[in-house]
Amino acid sequence: MRSMLWLFSLLFPVMTLAAAPAATGKHPIAIVIHGGAGTISRKDMTPERDKQYRAALKQALDAGYAVLKQGGKSLDAVQAAIRVMEDDPLFNAGKGAVFDHAGKNELDAAIMDGTNLKAGAVAGVQHIKNPIDLARLVMDKTPHVLLIGSGAEEFAKAQGMALVPQSYFFTQFRWDELQKALKDEKGKAGEAQHDYPGGGHGFGTVGAVALDKDGDIAAGTSTGGLTNKYYGRVGDSPIIGAGTYANTKTCGVSGTGTGEFFIRLDLAKTISDLMLYKGQSVQQAADQLVLHDLVDLGGTDTGGAIAMDHDGNIRMPFNTEGMYRGYIDTAGKQFVAIYKDE
Ligand code: ASP
């Protein structure tokens, strides 16, 4: 039998190659990231801050791309890029996360493997320096997908992860943002919490999608959520299918914006579904969800997403004034941008 197979592959080398799984080890590599969408305009940005954001995006791209270039997996590349942004106080993830209504930092993150649809996520954690690393551990070491709050932190300890005090996440800028949001909602008629605050504030969620040498796609997202969020609120980022999704057959997606709308649209997976069941391109599908469905549901200024397909086609639509974003494509070209007109 074996010799027959050998003879077959000798006679029909192309056919057998075509029938082989995508994991050739020679697939073109690429990475795309975002650092949040929102009311980011040139007039509100100092040249200094503009430069800092671009440098930070570049550093995250380089960290992720280095993994891919060394032959590493897309999951590891996503994690490496996100970790850089979590550690950077410029972004609303890890250090520099926004504050909730009670003055705490509660972090959410998710990661997904597009080859087998395995995923891991954490929500509402308060003492995890790099929530993306904990999300990865949930995926790798438990039969579960999403762990929350103190349970997630118990699991982190059991895995030997050091916890950090809340003070680690503090930045004056985010604290001032909360004070402003609290002041703005004071004096509003009725129960302020029903007039949902936070939209438009606290942008800076981070995300990444990577494509590795085996043609495998992974996606991840990490965030502090929305400034002044209430009562253990969880956004779209750790909800698989809403703010984070990956399927190597279609694309990887990471979203950023007012999470409630992303959850209600199941935005990330719907992009994948349009490709899978309707044969749409990544461009058509991502634009449909972010520029049309999201706008129809919540209006403009609701967010954006990054998406990349199996061939490395990248789309980064947003309906806000700006989105911190960048990629290194399959040709090795690097691009970093902030505003709409770039
Ligand atoms: N999508 C995040 C959330 O709703 C926030 C953001 O992306 O700015 O938690």
Side-chain angles (χ1 to χ4, degrees), residues 91-104:
F91 300 103
N92 171 20
K95 186 164 182 62
V98 299
F99 289 91
D100 68 5
H101 186 68
K104 293 187 283 78

Side-chain angles (χ1 to χ4, degrees), residues 63-289:
Y65 195 70
V67 172
L68 298 172
K69 228 177 153 187
Q70 285 154 21
K73 294 303 299 171
S74 48
L75 275 174
D76 297 321
V78 161
Q79 220 178 325
I82 289 182
R83 211 183 290 126
V84 166
M85 293 188 280
E86 285 179 335
D87 290 345
D88 192 324
L90 285 175
F91 300 103
N92 171 20
K95 186 164 182 62
V98 299
F99 289 91
D100 68 5
H101 186 68
K104 293 187 283 78
N105 309 102
E106 289 204 334
L107 313 172
D108 304 336
I111 193 161
M112 184 159 185
D113 184 345
T115 46
N116 50 22
L117 305 190
K118 282 183 80 176
V122 292
V125 293
Q126 296 183 20
H127 303 97
I128 305 298
K129 182 172 176 278
N130 292 105
I132 196 69
D133 290 349
L134 188 56
R136 177 75 188 267
L137 284 173
V138 172
M139 182 180 94
D140 288 347
K141 308 276 183 186
T142 82
H144 308 304
V145 170
L146 173 61
L147 301 185
I148 63 164
S150 54
E153 295 191 349
E154 275 305 306
F155 169 66
K157 271 194 259 175
Q159 290 296 316
M161 195 177 258
L163 303 198
V164 295
Q166 278 268 290
S167 58
Y168 167 77
F169 302 105
F170 183 90
T171 53
Q172 192 62 46
F173 166 67
R174 296 299 187 190
W175 184 253
D176 293 347
E177 253 181 13
L178 173 65
Q179 302 317 308
K180 187 179 177 310
L182 291 172
K183 214 169 122 202
D184 287 353
E185 78 178 1
K186 237 193 199 164
K188 272 191 190 164
E191 283 193 56
Q193 61 268 36
H194 292 160
D195 177 14
Y196 189 75
H201 293 284
F203 45 82
T205 290
V206 306
V209 179
L211 175 65
D212 66 28
K213 66 167 193 336
D214 299 321
D216 294 337
I217 295 175
T221 312
S222 182
T223 187
L226 298 179
T227 300
N228 199 22
K229 61 187 181 181
Y230 281 86
Y231 309 128
R233 178 263 188 191
V234 173
D236 58 309
S237 311
I239 307 297
I240 297 303
T244 307
Y245 198 72
N247 181 343
T248 293
K249 284 189 200 147
T250 55
C251 65
V253 180
S254 171
T256 170
T258 309
E260 282 67 14
F261 299 122
F262 285 66
I263 295 173
R264 288 157 65 192
L265 286 171
D266 213 5
L267 185 133
K269 182 167 186 289
T270 306
I271 292 175
S272 168
D273 284 351
L274 286 180
M275 295 175 69
L276 192 61
Y277 302 118
K278 289 220 151 183
Q280 291 194 2
S281 67
V282 70
Q283 166 172 351
Q284 284 174 313
D287 286 3
Q288 175 64 42
L289 264 295

